[in-house]
Coordinates of all heavy atoms in Angstrom, one line a residue:
D909 N 4.5 10.2 -26.6 CA 3.3 10.3 -27.3 C 2.1 10.0 -26.4 O 2.1 9.1 -25.5 CB 3.3 9.3 -28.5 CG 2.0 9.3 -29.3 OD1 1.8 10.2 -30.1 OD2 1.1 8.4 -29.0
A915 N -6.8 8.2 -25.9 CA -7.8 7.2 -26.4 C -8.5 6.5 -25.2 O -9.7 6.3 -25.2 CB -7.2 6.2 -27.3
G922 N -15.9 10.1 -22.9 CA -16.5 10.7 -24.0 C -15.6 11.4 -24.9 O -14.5 11.9 -24.5
R939 N 2.3 28.8 -14.4 CA 1.6 28.4 -15.6 C 0.9 27.0 -15.3 O -0.2 26.8 -15.7 CB 2.7 28.2 -16.7 CG 2.1 27.8 -18.0 CD 3.2 27.5 -19.1 NE 2.6 27.0 -20.3 CZ 3.3 26.4 -21.2 NH1 4.7 26.3 -21.1 NH2 2.8 26.0 -22.4
T987 N -6.8 14.8 0.9 CA -8.0 14.1 1.5 C -8.9 15.2 2.1 O -10.1 15.1 2.0 CB -7.5 13.2 2.6 OG1 -6.5 12.3 2.1 CG2 -8.6 12.5 3.3
G997 N -0.4 0.9 -8.7 CA 0.2 0.0 -7.8 C 0.9 -1.2 -8.4 O 1.7 -1.8 -7.7
A1010 N 19.8 -7.8 -13.0 CA 20.8 -7.2 -13.9 C 21.9 -6.5 -13.1 O 23.1 -6.6 -13.4 CB 20.1 -6.3 -14.9
R1024 N 35.3 -0.5 -19.6 CA 36.2 0.7 -19.6 C 37.6 0.2 -20.1 O 38.2 0.9 -20.9 CB 36.3 1.3 -18.3 CG 37.3 2.5 -18.2 CD 37.5 3.0 -16.9 NE 37.9 2.0 -15.9 CZ 39.1 1.5 -15.8 NH1 40.1 1.9 -16.6 NH2 39.4 0.6 -14.9
D1033 N 42.2 -8.3 -20.2 CA 42.8 -8.8 -19.0 C 41.8 -9.2 -18.0 O 41.1 -8.4 -17.4 CB 43.7 -7.7 -18.4 CG 44.4 -8.2 -17.1 OD1 44.4 -9.4 -16.8 OD2 44.9 -7.3 -16.3
G1057 N 9.5 -6.7 -4.2 CA 10.5 -7.4 -3.3 C 10.2 -8.9 -3.4 O 11.1 -9.8 -3.5
C1064 N 15.2 -14.9 -7.6 CA 16.6 -15.2 -7.1 C 16.7 -16.4 -6.3 O 17.9 -16.8 -5.9 CB 17.0 -14.0 -6.3 SG 17.3 -12.5 -7.2
D1066 N 16.9 -19.5 -7.0 CA 17.9 -20.4 -7.5 C 19.2 -19.8 -8.0 O 20.0 -20.4 -8.6 CB 17.3 -21.3 -8.6 CG 16.1 -22.1 -8.1 OD1 16.2 -22.6 -7.0 OD2 15.1 -22.3 -8.9
E1080 N 4.3 -12.9 8.2 CA 5.4 -14.0 8.1 C 5.1 -14.9 7.0 O 6.1 -15.4 6.3 CB 5.4 -14.7 9.5 CG 6.3 -15.9 9.5 CD 7.8 -15.5 9.6 OE1 8.1 -14.5 10.3 OE2 8.6 -16.1 8.9
V1091 N 13.7 -11.3 8.6 CA 14.6 -10.8 9.6 C 14.4 -9.4 9.8 O 13.6 -8.7 9.1 CB 16.1 -11.1 9.1 CG1 16.4 -12.6 8.9 CG2 16.4 -10.3 7.8
G1115 N 16.6 8.5 4.4 CA 17.9 8.3 4.9 C 18.1 7.0 5.6 O 19.0 6.9 6.4
L1134 N 16.5 0.4 -5.7 CA 15.5 0.5 -6.8 C 14.2 1.0 -6.1 O 13.1 0.7 -6.7 CB 15.3 -0.9 -7.4 CG 16.5 -1.4 -8.2 CD1 16.2 -2.9 -8.7 CD2 16.8 -0.5 -9.3
V1140 N 18.4 6.8 0.6 CA 19.9 6.7 0.7 C 20.4 8.1 1.0 O 20.2 9.1 0.2 CB 20.5 6.1 -0.5 CG1 22.0 6.1 -0.4 CG2 20.0 4.7 -0.8
V1146 N 28.8 8.0 -0.4 CA 30.1 8.3 -1.1 C 31.2 7.9 -0.2 O 32.2 7.3 -0.6 CB 30.2 9.8 -1.5 CG1 31.6 10.2 -1.9 CG2 29.2 10.1 -2.6
A1159 N 22.0 2.0 -8.8 CA 20.8 2.8 -8.4 C 20.1 3.2 -9.7 O 20.7 3.5 -10.7 CB 21.2 4.1 -7.7
P1167 N 18.7 14.9 -11.5 CA 20.0 15.3 -10.9 C 20.9 16.0 -11.9 O 20.8 15.8 -13.1 CB 20.6 13.9 -10.5 CG 20.0 13.0 -11.5 CD 18.6 13.5 -11.7
T1183 N 21.2 4.2 -13.5 CA 20.3 4.3 -14.7 C 19.3 5.4 -14.4 O 19.0 5.7 -13.2 CB 19.6 3.0 -15.0 OG1 19.1 2.4 -13.8 CG2 20.6 2.0 -15.6
Q1198 N 0.2 3.5 -18.9 CA -0.7 4.5 -19.5 C -2.2 4.1 -19.3 O -3.0 4.9 -18.9 CB -0.4 4.7 -21.0 CG 1.0 5.3 -21.2 CD 1.4 5.4 -22.6 OE1 0.9 6.3 -23.3 NE2 2.2 4.5 -23.1
Y1208 N -12.8 6.7 -11.4 CA -13.0 7.7 -10.4 C -14.1 8.7 -10.8 O -15.0 8.9 -10.0 CB -11.7 8.4 -10.0 CG -11.8 9.1 -8.6 CD1 -11.3 8.5 -7.5 CD2 -12.4 10.4 -8.5 CE1 -11.4 9.2 -6.3 CE2 -12.5 11.0 -7.3 CZ -12.0 10.4 -6.2 OH -12.1 11.0 -4.9
Q1210 N -16.4 8.3 -12.9 CA -17.7 7.6 -13.0 C -18.2 7.1 -11.7 O -19.3 6.5 -11.7 CB -17.5 6.4 -14.0 CG -17.3 6.9 -15.5 CD -17.1 5.7 -16.4 OE1 -16.8 4.6 -16.0 NE2 -17.2 6.0 -17.7
R1227 N -17.8 9.9 -6.0 CA -19.1 10.0 -6.6 C -19.0 10.3 -8.1 O -18.0 10.9 -8.5 CB -19.9 11.0 -5.9 CG -19.3 12.4 -5.8 CD -20.2 13.4 -5.2 NE -20.5 13.2 -3.8 CZ -19.8 13.7 -2.8 NH1 -18.7 14.5 -3.1 NH2 -20.1 13.5 -1.6

Side-chain angles (χ1 to χ4, degrees):
D909 175 81
R939 182 184 176 198
T987 304
R1024 176 187 56 77
D1033 179 11
C1064 289
D1066 297 324
E1080 177 73 41
V1091 299
L1134 296 176
V1140 177
V1146 168
T1183 49
Q1198 294 174 81
Y1208 196 98
Q1210 293 178 339
R1227 55 173 67 92

